[in-house]
């Protein structure tokens, strides 16, 4: 059903389930997708480290899945999460989107 790209990945937009703030954009492969469904916590594929990544393993800032959607083309996911610790970005910010252009 889901359409993973030629590298076996699908982008995931991650949003706070309470206030809809976009927290981050990450990627999943089929294994991380299945682990997310199984554990109800977000798992990703780290493109830089080339390994599975359980969000919050080192920081403690896990993401508990509240809702998971796919788009009309089935090639992008939207995860609505409870962000434990209110920090999603590796910089310590709540969201990865803090660099304002306009």
């Amino acid at each position: 059903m889901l359409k993973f790209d030629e590298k076996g990945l699908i982008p995931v937009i991650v949003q706070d389930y309470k206030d809809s703030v976009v927290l981050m954009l990450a990627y999943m492969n089929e294994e991380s997708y299945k682990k997310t469904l199984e554990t109800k916590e977000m798992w990703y594929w780290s493109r830089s480290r080339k390994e599975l990544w359980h969000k919050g393993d080192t920081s403690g800032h896990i993401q508990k899945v509240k809702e998971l959607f796919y788009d009309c083309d089935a090639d992008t996911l939207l995860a609505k999460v409870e962000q434990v610790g209110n920090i999603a970005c590796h910089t310590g910010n709540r969201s990865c989107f803090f660099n304002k252009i306009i």
Side-chain angles (χ1 to χ4, degrees):
M1 176 197 263
L2 292 179
K3 297 177 187 171
F4 293 85
D5 69 14
E6 65 282 350
K7 295 177 183 174
L9 302 175
I10 190 167
V12 186
I13 300 164
V14 184
Q15 193 175 40
D16 186 289
Y17 83 105
K18 288 181 185 172
D19 60 13
S20 299
V21 168
V22 175
L23 300 173
M24 57 187 280
L25 170 72
Y27 291 84
M28 285 183 171
N29 63 5
E30 193 170 341
E31 186 179 2
S32 59
Y33 173 71
K34 287 178 180 177
K35 286 186 83 66
T36 295
L37 294 179
E38 178 185 311
T39 65
K40 304 296 189 268
E41 291 182 359
M42 295 303 291
W43 286 78
Y44 303 105
W45 177 255
S46 171
R47 295 175 300 157
S48 59
R49 296 187 312 264
K50 304 212 181 319
E51 64 183 15
L52 281 181
W53 159 40
H54 178 229
K55 179 66 174 165
D57 257 357
T58 56
S59 68
H61 299 141
I62 63 169
Q63 294 174 335
K64 296 180 182 180
V65 180
K66 295 297 184 177
E67 296 179 297
L68 190 61
F69 301 87
Y70 61 91
D71 73 340
C72 56
D73 295 321
D75 63 0
T76 303
L77 296 173
L78 171 64
K80 295 193 177 193
V81 303
E82 176 187 347
Q83 178 64 61
V84 174
N86 207 28
I87 296 172
C89 186
H90 72 280
T91 63
N93 286 286
R94 177 177 185 217
S95 168
C96 293
F97 297 95
F98 58 87
N99 294 300
K100 188 173 181 178
I101 295 172
I102 297 175

